[in-house]
Structure formats: structure tokens, C-alpha cells
């Protein structure tokens, strides 16, 4: 054993290092060194040092245990101590005590807030008439729906994305009810609620970063329409995908509840509407798993798919996701790694387990993938979205579908763009014959649809490129291995305007 010389004296102290402990128990080196500096150096130094080290390890173990317990409790999230029985048709009121208002979009659901029971109730019917309430999420284990209130619903709908917009603007009061409470209400009030046989239900599937948010702005500007843009409950369905696939009846119940209830609550934005209303869902690019359940529950709905060149999608996503945030700092990455080990709230979601595309799933094990994790992940997400849509359209040839590439949607050729806009509005059964309607539609292209949000800060605006030449080469190589795609710039046959 080598001894150090300190101030001309040999020391029996050995370095005390963290790696022999789990990561979450490793203390900062400066703290440990200060602790060691206090160790004795007399005749009984070895014995006393051993005792002090044992005490230090004990303190660190206690601190580590406390940290693990705290992170696991946060991962469990909000637990409702009181859930009124469905027989009462009541909804429990709670008051928020904490909420994460981070706008990165990487957090959500019951792990982002906590609340205390106020002891008050209201009926589910009263809840459905409120103008300040939206459906935020659900919890499968507790079988509850969770509603949040906002001071200004119009301001909320100006936010590009509901998953982070709701948390950003949430007021103190939230509501909780059982799944069965909502189901019973929906069964008893079918004629008064959004209905695809009377209204238009439109699903806007996409690859991400392809203009779907702009499309939502377009339909809102020209019609009595309600668009749910990336609500968190869609992400939650993705997280629960494996469980729900084993219980399709529960999946279908949730798909019906979540859509109809949230559509109805959002309808307060167009109270003056007297005729047909357009209800649209614009989820993230990873939501292809929801397509078949949505078709089962709403067979009359229309389906539109938006896409863009793979290189441009990955570049846009990558340049946004690598901008400085609490999640991609060394400390943030370390916390995510620790959460993965201990079951903390930032542990990776099990959502991305297998592709939705059956053909991609059969080939994935044999594919040579991009070397960088983020490029690989986003490249596969794009590929899965494209291939699963092609398979869906081929399997349901009698279904009304429309495929739209971003290039045609935002072309600088105004005449071509107007023709595409008219075709999209015709598909969505939105009339633009009223004076000024088409002008309002074309005006939305003058403003960035995600202005003011973190998603606006892609490399197209900052000039800081994410992809290297090697990354681009590897994405081309990925597509070349897939006969259905061939290249990143692949255009789906029959796409509008191509």
C-alpha cells in the first residue's frame, strides 16, 4: 500500500473513491476530501480512520436511500386518495401543491404534479360544462381521468402543443373521476357529444416536423374546428401500449373516452357553431400505434398523413433536442441514467419497444443502423411512421385517406399552394366559399406555427447544424436497405400535388 506525504509527514489515509459505490451513492470528491482531512493521524489513526470511514459510508448510504426513495415516489406520481364511485356520477376536486412547468415536452402525466384533496365534489355533467377545464391525462393503475383548469382556454390553444401548454398555464384546481363515471355519462348523452356520424373527425398522422401544426392553424382559421395538438394523454397511451394491447377492450374504452371528452371540453372555443364541427387530433410522429384503435372506435373518421424528407426531419428534431436544457446537461444525463437504474421518473419510456410497421419489425434486427443514438432513434421513428402509413393505406383501400408532403403544402408557388390548401379543406369537409375564408387560410403561412416555443429553435433558425456528413451518409444507407423507402427523399405514391 502506497502512502502519501502531506506537509512532510506520511499519512495512513487512503483515497476514498466513489466508483466502488453505486452511482447515486457517490459523493462529490471535494466533500469526501474535506471529510478525509479530518481523519486522525495518531497512534490509533488506522482504527479511528476505519471507524470514521464506516460512519461516512453509513451517512452516504442513508442519503442514497433517501434519494432513491424520493425518486421512486416521484415516479409513482400523483396518487388520488379519494375517487368517487361511478354510481354517484361525482368528480373529486383537488388543489395543486406542485407542478413541473418545463416546456421541453420530455415530462408529463401524473409524475409532473402533486395535489391535495379539497373535500369538494361536482357532478360529471357540471364538469363537462366548465369553460376553464381540459382533459390532461389518465392513470391506468388507478383507472382515473385527470382534468386541469386554466385561466384562459383561448390562450392555451395559442400554445403549439397541449402536452406542455396545459402544465405551463395550469391553475390550482384539478378534478379526478373514475373511468366508469365518464363512460356512463358518454353512454347517456351520445346525442349531445361530438359524434363522427354527425361531425367530422380528422386524424392528422405525421412524421413530425412536417407542417401538421400549421395545418391545425389552417383549419382553425377557416371553420368551426377544434384541434387537439399533441395532448399528453396520447403519449400516455404510448407508454401503456404493451399493457393495452393485451386488453383491447380497455384500449378501445380509453380511446373513446379521451377523444370525446377532450373534444367536448374544447368545443367551448366555438360555442357559436351551429352546424357541423371539425374535430381533429394532431399527435406526435410516434403515435402510429394509435391508428388501428382509432379506426376501430371511430370507423367514420378521416385520416390524413403528413411527411417530409427524412434528412430534414432528423436535422430539425436533432437541432432542437440538443439545444441546452436541464435534460441534456451532464447532470441531467446522469440523473436520467440513475433513474433508469433505480426506477426514477426520468427512466426511458418503454414506448419505443417495437415498430408499428410489421415489415420494419421483421427487418429491424438485420438492418445496419446509424452509429449515433439520437440519429438512429429519429431515423427509425421516421421510417416506422412512413412504412406503417403505407401499410395502413394498403390494408384499408376503401377508407378515405389523404397523403400530403410538406414541400407541396408550403411551396413558394402561391397558386400551387392555394390549390393544395383547397384540396385539404375539401378533404376535411371545410367550406371556404364565404367571403375572406380562403384569404384567412392563406394568411396562416405568414407566421411560424410554433413561434415562441422551444420547437421553433431548429437549425433553420439558429444556423447550428446537427447532422454531420457521416450522419447523412448513414441515413441514406438505412433507407437503401428498405425496398419500400429506398432514399430519405422518398415520396409516397399518390401524395397530394406531387
Amino acid at each position: 500500500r502506497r502512502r502519501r506525504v502531506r506537509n512532510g509527514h506520511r499519512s495512513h489515509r487512503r483515497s476514498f473513491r466513489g466508483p466502488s459505490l453505486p452511482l447515486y451513492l457517490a459523493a462529490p470528491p471535494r466533500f469526501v476530501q474535506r471529510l478525509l482531512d479530518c481523519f486522525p493521524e495518531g497512534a490509533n489513526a488506522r482504527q479511528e480512520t476505519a471507524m470514521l470511514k464506516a460512519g461516512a459510508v453509513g451517512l452516504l448510504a442513508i442519503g442514497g436511500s433517501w434519494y432513491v426513495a424520493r425518486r421512486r415516489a416521484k415516479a409513482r406520481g400523483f396518487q388520488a386518495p379519494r375517487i368517487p364511485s361511478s354510481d354517484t356520477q361525482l368528480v373529486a376536486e383537488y388543489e395543486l401543491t406542485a407542478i413541473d412547468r418545463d416546456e421541453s415536452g420530455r415530462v408529463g402525466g401524473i409524475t409532473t404534479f402533486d395535489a391535495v384533496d379539497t373535500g369538494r365534489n361536482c357532478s360529471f355533467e357540471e364538469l363537462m360544462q366548465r369553460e376553464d377545464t381540459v382533459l390532461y391525462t389518465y392513470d391506468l393503475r388507478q383507472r382515473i381521468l385527470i382534468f386541469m383548469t386554466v385561466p384562459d382556454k383561448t390562450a392555451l390553444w395559442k400554445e403549439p402543443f397541449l402536452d406542455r401548454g396545459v402544465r405551463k398555464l395550469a391553475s390550482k384546481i384539478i378534478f379526478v373521476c373514475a373511468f366508469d363515471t365518464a363512460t356512463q355519462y358518454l353512454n347517456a348523452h351520445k346525442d349531445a357529444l361530438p359524434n363522427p356520424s354527425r361531425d367530422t373527425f380528422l386524424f392528422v398522422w405525421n412524421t413530425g416536423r412536417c407542417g401538421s401544426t400549421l395545418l391545425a392553424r389552417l383549419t382553425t382559421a377557416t371553420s368551426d374546428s377544434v384541434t387537439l395538438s399533441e395532448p399528453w394523454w396520447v403519449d400516455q397511451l404510448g407508454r401503456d401500449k404493451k399493457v393495452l394491447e393485451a386488453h383491447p377492450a380497455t384500449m378501445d374504452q380509453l380511446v373513446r373516452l379521451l377523444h370525446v371528452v377532450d373534444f367536448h371540453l374544447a368545443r367551448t372555443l366555438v360555442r357559436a357553431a351551429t352546424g357541423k364541427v371539425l374535430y381533429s387530433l394532431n399527435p406526435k410522429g410516434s403515435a402510429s400505434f394509435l391508428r388501428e384503435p382509432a379506426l376501430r372506435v371511430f370507423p367514420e373518421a378521416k385520416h390524413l398523413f403528413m411527411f417530409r424528407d427524412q434528412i430534414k426531419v432528423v436535422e430539425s428534431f436533432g437541432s432542437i433536442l440538443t439545444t441546452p436544457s436541464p435534460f441534456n446537461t451532464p447532470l441531467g444525463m446522469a440523473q436520467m441514467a440513475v433513474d433508469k437504474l433505480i426506477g426514477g421518473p426520468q427512466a426511458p419510456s418503454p414506448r419505443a419497444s417495437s415498430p408499428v410497421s410489421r415489415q420494419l419489425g421483421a427487418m429491424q434486427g438485420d438492418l445496419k443502423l446509424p452509429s449515433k443514438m439520437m440519429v438512429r432513434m429519429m431515423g427509425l421513428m421516421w421510417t416506422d411512421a412512413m412504412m406503417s402509413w403505407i401499410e395502413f393505406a394498403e390494408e384499408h383501400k376503401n377508407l378515405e385517406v389523404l397523403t400530403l408532403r410538406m414541400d407541396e403544402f408550403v411551396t413558394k408557388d402561391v397558386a400551387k399552394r392555394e390549390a393544395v390548401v383547397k384540396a385539404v379543406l375539401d378533404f376535411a369537409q371545410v367550406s371556404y366559399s364565404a367571403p375572406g375564408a380562403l384569404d384567412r387560410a392563406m394568411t396562416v403561412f405568414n407566421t411560424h406555427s410554433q413561434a415562441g416555443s422551444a420547437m421553433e429553435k431548429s437549425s433553420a433558425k439558429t444556423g447550428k447544424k446537427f447532422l454531420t456528413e457521416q450522419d447523412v451518409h448513414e441515413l441514406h444507407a438505412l433507407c437503401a436497405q428498405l425496398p419500400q423507402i429506398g432514399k430519405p427523399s422518398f415520396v409516397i405514391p399518390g401524395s397530394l400535388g406531387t
Side-chain angles (χ1 to χ4, degrees), residues 103 158-161 164 168 209 213 217 320 448-458 461:
E103 293 185 57
K158 290 180 180 178
E159 294 287 324
F161 311 109
R164 58 212 80 174
K168 175 183 175 181
R209 310 303 296 167
T213 306
R217 298 282 191 253
I320 291 167
H448 197 296
S449 61
Q450 297 168 5
S453 75
M455 300 301 281
E456 181 191 16
K457 300 173 183 177
S458 67
K461 183 170 183 176

Side-chain angles (χ1 to χ4, degrees), residues 23 47 68 76 133 139 227 274 279 318 364 386 460 484 486:
L23 179 61
Q47 181 179 357
V68 170
R76 287 193 295 274
T133 304
D139 183 59
T227 297
T274 55
Y279 295 101
Q364 188 170 352
M386 294 284 283
Q484 305 89 335

